[in-house]
Amino acid sequence: MTPMRLGCHNNIERQSGLAVVEFAIILPFIILMALAVTELGRGLYQYNTLTKAVRDGARYLSGTAVDAAGDVDVSPYTTNVQNLVVYGDIDGDGTPLLPGLSTGNVIVSAIDVTMPGGSTLSPNHVQVTASYNFVPLFPALSALGYSMIPTMNATAIERALKI
């Protein structure tokens, strides 16, 4: 006959209770990390969307901004480019690509860029710039010390194509 140990069964129950307490202590940190990673992912996605939209606007403008005399004039196409950046088409139909992005956030201009050798054609490039205010999905994270960059800026410069 084997001797019976006293208290062995009670020790196992105490260990399982300890695991629950440890999980309860670490759970808020796990949730906080998950929310922070989610916000970071949203921020990167929205910045990527803004950058692509600005590039598309500059690409469109580079092929249309040169008039018959060979001069770069962006004024007739400003509204089209702003609509393209904000809505994804030049008509301005539908919902914005990013919530809260408006045509007032998009700046269209013609700029001078110095060519190799020091010569400057005036103007010879087009520039599209957009700014977007990132709105966090979980604003309570900033109260805990976590903060995202609130304003995102994207700029694209393209050479004006003389067709």
Side-chain angles (χ1 to χ4, degrees), residues 35-118:
L35 294 178
V37 168
T38 302
E39 282 293 278
L40 182 63
R42 281 186 67 247
L44 290 173
Y45 173 78
Q46 290 184 355
Y47 180 72
N48 189 37
T49 301
L50 182 67
T51 302
K52 283 182 175 182
V54 167
R55 267 193 232 136
D56 289 344
R59 193 172 299 120
Y60 168 80
L61 187 60
S62 73
T64 57
V66 178
D67 61 13
D71 297 326
V72 178
D73 184 17
V74 298
S75 57
Y77 306 102
T78 300
T79 302
N80 288 350
V81 172
Q82 289 173 332
N83 287 336
L84 182 62
V85 171
V86 174
Y87 300 104
D89 63 17
I90 61 173
D91 298 327
D93 296 334
T95 59
L97 298 174
L98 295 171
L101 184 63
S102 69
T103 55
N105 299 103
V106 181
I107 299 169
V108 179
S109 58
I111 61 170
D112 297 336
V113 174
T114 303
M115 306 302 282

Side-chain angles (χ1 to χ4, degrees), residues 2 15 29 41 44-45 54 56 68 81 87-88 96 107 111 114 117 121 124 127 129 134 144 146 150 160-161:
T2 59
Q15 288 295 323
F29 297 109
L44 290 173
Y45 173 78
V54 167
D56 289 344
V81 172
Y87 300 104
I107 299 169
I111 61 170
T114 303
L121 303 173
N124 59 3
Q127 177 176 326
T129 302
F134 177 76
L144 298 172
Y146 173 79
L161 303 174

